[in-house]
Amino acid sequence: MAVILGGGIGGLSTAYYLLKNNISNNNNLKLLLLEATNYCGGWIKSIKTKDYIFEQGPRTIRPKGIVGLNTLNMIQDLGLSEHVFPIKSDHPAAKNRMIYVNNSLHLLPSSLKGVFQTNEPFSKPLIYAIFNDLRSPQKQMKDDSIYNFAERRFGKEIADYAIAPMICGICAGDAKEISVKFLMKTLFEWEQNYGGVMKGMMKSFMKGKNDNDLYLSELAKRAQEEKWNVYTIKGGIANFPATLLQHLRENNVDVKLNNKVNEIQFVDSSTVKLINRSGEEIMANHVYSSIPSHALADLVEKQHPDLAANLKGIPFVTVGLVNFYFDTDKPLISPAFGFLVPPIENSPILGVVFDSCCLPDQNGTVLTVMLGGRWFEEKFGQNITEKELFEIAQREVRSILNIKEKPAAHHVQILNKCIPQYVIGHYDRVDNVRQYIQDHNLPISLVGSSYDGVGINDVIYSAKTQVQ
């Protein structure tokens, strides 16, 4: 029997790929998924009413690259193709992304023409960043922060106003701490191998694209042909894990909710004992852990303290999320995906997503404000209330977007330790963890955002990779 720990998108995807293996190889491996709470889907949650949808975590998925196309294959296999809502490259939510600097919103360039123009807050056209990269010397390094890399290759303004806020949007993190080798691996390798990003890009164009053998579903082909920028699921993105859960149950995967594991004991290379909070012992041949690395550390610490220490070395941040619904036909925002706030602005918010512009099934104006992240405790302390977060978010929305109306509805959530931080050396840290498991012949595989990437696509592909 294989046990999957965690019922988030990582655990559900692991069960999905194990089930596919069972069917294609005519196996009869029993699958048991254990979720500590009464909900499957992890951080993916949608609150739906007749007027609005409040997304509590991720709201869109990128269709790009192998990992993006792989997710589209899964979505078609689950029968969700008709429920996909694409945002194409010519949509305002794809073209219009802003940053908030010096008390003003600034539209980031989205066309080739914009690269040759001076756009505030930048003091000169972005083409100068390319010249900077071409003339900057090569610097051999094992890893570096994304901020240092961007400043070295493209200049301080790009680092401050483009890269730093982008990292806030991706992982609510500090670009001065996040590993460029992990989040921008290709660009870093171009610099290390060819002396610069543009030089590496030109070399890769001359080599041509590498063919991959990933089968493309009709949905994946459609995304490529129609040039989707991002997409979501009608009725709320939580319909994705809900459909995945239904698929698993219909195919005899045993899913147990409210079943928290307190300890894992490795007996030998093909036997593992799990003890849940009620004292029940579950024997398995292999465990797939999709729970956060710090949670897994607590389960293995008694038997493997060194492994636990490495797992605890992956930091996480807390994010405050405030959703607003304004019941009015009057346009309160300009058509855009939203805006991000660079850390140098020292704002309590990370950014605002204009949900009513980029998600279907919305009446009026719907916004989501993201707060804290890497700076949550620094900005708000340890005891901030949801009411206080709401007031801060409302004040910022009024100030920045000049929205004077009172929201007809709102929802506040404090997502404690929700996003892992891929700080410098993350690759080595994860390699050390997996090497320890291999050296000690432990029957466990690690899946999910703690190790292999923060996006939905990354987590699903992590599950696929670990199962294969």
Side-chain angles (χ1 to χ4, degrees), residues 24 76 126 185 457:
S24 61
Q76 177 163 320
L126 296 187
K185 184 182 178 185
N457 291 330

Side-chain angles (χ1 to χ4, degrees), residues 42 50 81 109 154 192 290 309 326 346 349 372 388 408 416 434 438 445 459:
K50 65 181 178 63
S81 295
F154 304 112
Q192 296 301 300
S290 72
F326 298 93
N346 199 27
I349 70 171
E388 289 169 327
N416 187 45
R434 286 187 166 134
Q438 186 177 324
S445 299
V459 173

Side-chain angles (χ1 to χ4, degrees), residues 100-114:
Y100 182 69
V101 176
N102 298 327
N103 299 316
S104 296
L105 287 171
H106 303 280
L107 198 61
L108 292 171
S110 62
S111 65
L112 186 61
K113 180 183 175 183

Side-chain angles (χ1 to χ4, degrees), residues 19 24 118 143 167 186 198 245 257 282 299 319 379 453:
L19 182 62
S24 61
T118 300
D143 198 357
I167 297 304
T186 301
M198 297 310 298
L245 174 63
L257 304 180
I282 301 164
L299 307 188
V319 175
K379 302 283 186 189

